[in-house]
Amino acid sequence: MDQNKAKRSKAAAVKAQTKSMAAHGKMPKIFVLDTNVLLHDHKSIYKFQENDLVLPLTVLEELDKFKKGNEQINYNAREIMRAIDKLSGKGLFDQGVALGKDLGHLRVVMSKGMTPEMKAGLMEDTPDHRILSVALQIKRENPDRVVVLVSKDVNLRMKAKAFGMPADDYLFDKSSEETGFERRRLKSVRVSEEILAKLFEAGSLSPKDIKAKPGLNEYFTLRTATAEAPVVFRASTNRIEYVKKQYVSGIESRNDEQAFALDALMDPNIPVVALTGMAGTGKTLLALAAAIAQAQDYKSILISRPVIPLQNQDMGFLPGDVNEKLAPYMLPLFDNLAVLKNKTKISPREYKDIEEMQKSGALQISPLAYIRGRSLSDTFFIVDEAQNLTPHEIKTIITRAAEGTKIVFTGDIYQIDSPYLDAMSNGLTYLGDHLYDQPLFAQVKLVKGERSAVAEMAGRLL
């Protein structure tokens, strides 16, 4: 009897505390998660602090469809299903199960069907609409708490708001414009004629010589009223050094940004490089040229890109085996290789070396999905179209790097094919934001298009 009395007393205390917290607006929030959040980040359920989480049963059904495959999204589906399985118990479909110390509870809820308002406003009974119906249902059942639908699908978020349901994007790995690379990087620094003359004479300066604080391996321009000089604050020497134009594998830098890019690509002390910029600025071509120029320093050159079918085209409908299905998505990489071999001032010896590397397998072009599980040692690894990767995918790729490996990410953060990423949440932006001012990292933004005048005009104006 004493134990029962103690339990009732504790329950009453909890109830009283809950009412008090509700009255003061301190109740933990309830977040209803969409499937794409879990597929984007399989550790997302542990990132909402003390707040409670709800997974519509439809989410588990959708996760089941993604569990087979070698892409990151398939891996995330399997990992989150394993995590939910470990948490599963009697409470998972009732009051919820605790996610851990200082974390909230996780509960799986079945939809009670679309409300009359939803039936009147929405044409079909779809998985998205079932998820929305659960969110509205949880909101009705918890009038004293803040309930928010979390989805990376902007269309679902708009539908939710149309029915009075608060909805947000998943923001835990989203970079802020206030702290991003663009906000922090130096573009140019005004110096005196004496300082610039000192740079030209000695080839380098002390960071104390300029009235600015650049990040490690940051590229920028020193300017006077009459002259300018491209420089880098090199982490390996702790000096501001003059950046000379280079001639690499038949490619000569045409502007300061390309000179910056080649400098970072050719520096053995910078194992992680990010090249950003619009189409036609030469990102992939420069990376490929640098890789071939340093082929003797690496066991292999690996060039890859994520496979993102455009306009909902399913690869399964393409003819042929898996390699033939993937070939169309790898064509841009082969195009860059063809440009390097046939349309530059590459020497006959360098041309022959490229041919031999392709035949021997020392130079490979393959889909990014094939990289998972590999340990890449002594490899020059180029990841093209990196803006279509999630932050977790970027981390997974970098952790594949063993000793002697250099990884180069290229992409345009404003040309994203994935429906659940944007300029602030993609992996390339995340990379620059989190590795800025690190001695093993450099990022260069290419601005001027060099593919053709037509391509540059389109990139700027269309």
Side-chain angles (χ1 to χ4, degrees):
M1 289 292 293
D2 290 341
Q3 288 182 345
N4 291 333
K5 185 176 181 180
K7 287 182 179 179
R8 288 195 297 271
S9 177
K10 184 178 180 179
V14 170
K15 189 174 182 180
Q17 183 183 18
T18 299
K19 286 184 177 181
S20 175
M21 291 175 70
H24 292 85
K26 295 181 179 180
M27 284 288 288
K29 297 177 182 178
I30 301 176
F31 291 102
V32 181
L33 304 188
D34 191 3
T35 314
N36 50 54
V37 173
L38 306 181
L39 293 174
H40 177 80
D41 180 2
H42 68 268
K43 296 182 179 179
S44 57
I45 60 175
Y46 301 106
K47 296 183 179 178
F48 288 84
Q49 301 177 334
E50 75 281 1
N51 301 296
D52 294 329
L53 304 180
V54 168
L55 293 183
L57 188 61
T58 302
V59 167
L60 300 186
E61 186 180 12
E62 288 195 303
L63 286 174
D64 192 56
K65 298 177 182 178
F66 287 94
K67 66 183 180 183
K68 295 181 180 179
N70 296 319
E71 298 285 347
Q72 182 68 42
I73 195 171
N74 309 121
Y75 170 81
N76 287 350
R78 292 191 292 269
E79 285 297 298
I80 191 62
M81 289 171 71
R82 291 188 188 105
I84 295 171
D85 182 55
K86 288 180 181 179
L87 293 167
S88 65
K90 187 177 179 181
L92 184 63
F93 298 90
D94 189 6
Q95 74 273 16
V97 293
L99 287 166
K101 185 180 179 182
D102 299 326
L103 298 175
H105 287 69
L106 174 71
R107 183 159 66 109
V108 175
V109 175
M110 185 183 298
S111 171
K112 293 181 179 178
M114 294 174 63
T115 64
E117 293 79 11
M118 290 182 68
K119 289 180 181 178
L122 301 171
M123 296 176 63
E124 299 179 81
D125 181 7
T126 65
D128 277 358
H129 297 162
R130 292 192 204 113
I131 291 169
L132 176 55
S133 73
V134 168
L136 292 168
Q137 173 184 324
I138 296 299
K139 183 184 177 186
R140 290 193 302 270
E141 294 172 355
N142 297 271
D144 57 339
R145 298 177 66 178
V146 174
V147 180
V148 181
L149 172 63
V150 182
S151 174
K152 298 199 69 62
D153 185 343
V154 64
N155 197 36
L156 179 57
R157 296 201 302 268
M158 287 191 292
K159 290 179 183 179
K161 292 173 183 178
F163 290 96
M165 181 73 229
D168 277 330
D169 192 1
Y170 179 70
L171 302 174
F172 287 98
D173 57 6
K174 192 166 188 172
S175 298
S176 167
E177 290 180 291
E178 296 300 318
T179 61
F181 169 76
E182 282 298 317
R183 179 83 177 187
R184 288 177 290 178
R185 79 183 185 107
L186 291 175
K187 295 181 180 178
S188 66
V189 177
R190 180 61 71 96
V191 294
S192 66
E193 299 283 354
E194 292 75 18
I195 291 295
L196 201 61
K198 182 179 177 181
L199 171 69
F200 289 139
E201 181 180 349
S204 68
L205 299 170
S206 166
K208 297 179 182 179
D209 290 331
I210 67 171
K211 297 178 180 180
K213 188 178 179 181
L216 296 176
N217 296 322
E218 183 165 11
Y219 293 86
F220 56 102
T221 303
L222 295 182
R223 298 181 186 276
T224 68
T226 58
E228 61 182 49
V231 295
V232 58
F233 179 33
R234 205 175 300 281
S236 58
T237 62
N238 200 39
R239 300 280 294 178
I240 294 173
E241 300 181 7
Y242 181 72
V243 176
K244 299 177 181 178
K245 289 191 175 183
Q246 299 190 51
Y247 184 83
V248 177
S249 299
I251 298 291
E252 185 177 12
S253 52
R254 296 185 177 183
N255 53 58
D256 285 347
E257 288 79 19
Q258 287 194 352
F260 292 157
L262 284 176
D263 184 86
L265 292 166
M266 299 296 289
D267 190 338
N269 296 306
I270 307 177
V272 182
V273 177
L275 303 182
T276 65
M278 66 181 184
T281 50
K283 305 179 295 294
T284 308
L285 188 62
L286 291 171
L288 184 56
I292 291 172
Q294 300 172 86
Q296 71 278 2
D297 299 326
Y298 298 93
K299 290 181 180 177
S300 63
I301 298 171
L302 180 60
I303 315 167
S304 191
R305 67 193 324 237
V307 175
I308 307 290
L310 296 177
Q311 298 177 351
N312 296 320
Q313 295 172 355
D314 193 328
M315 283 173 48
F317 291 104
L318 294 174
D321 59 21
V322 63
N323 291 321
E324 291 172 322
K325 290 176 186 292
L326 291 169
Y329 300 100
M330 300 298 109
L331 276 178
L333 300 180
F334 285 104
D335 288 344
N336 275 281
L337 187 59
V339 168
L340 191 64
K341 289 164 61 178
N342 302 315
K343 296 186 179 181
T344 63
K345 299 176 182 178
I346 194 169
S347 69
R349 177 60 187 171
E350 289 172 318
Y351 184 96
K352 185 178 179 181
D353 288 344
I354 295 174
E355 292 285 303
E356 290 178 353
M357 282 190 288
Q358 283 186 276
K359 290 177 182 178
S360 67
L363 193 161
Q364 300 178 40
I365 297 178
S366 66
L368 199 56
Y370 292 178
I371 305 305
R372 172 165 294 283
R374 296 181 61 180
S375 179
L376 303 173
S377 61
D378 298 311
T379 301
F380 196 109
F381 185 19
I382 302 171
V383 182
D384 195 31
E385 301 292 346
Q387 78 279 1
N388 286 319
L389 298 172
T390 67
H392 182 74
E393 287 172 323
I394 289 283
K395 180 180 178 180
T396 299
I397 292 167
I398 294 179
T399 56
R400 295 295 94 207
E403 288 297 323
T405 287
K406 182 160 187 155
I407 304 181
V408 179
F409 296 93
T410 69
D412 179 0
I413 64 171
Y414 298 107
Q415 187 175 332
I416 296 174
D417 300 318
S418 172
Y420 301 130
L421 297 176
D422 58 32
M424 290 294 108
S425 66
N426 71 87
L428 192 55
T429 297
Y430 182 86
L431 178 72
D433 191 34
H434 285 73
L435 295 190
Y436 174 83
D437 200 27
Q438 293 298 309
L440 303 181
F441 174 75
Q443 177 162 340
V444 177
K445 181 178 181 181
L446 298 166
V447 178
K448 187 177 180 182
E450 297 290 354
R451 181 175 292 166
S452 68
V454 172
E456 183 185 4
M457 176 185 67
R460 287 187 294 105
L461 303 176
L462 298 183

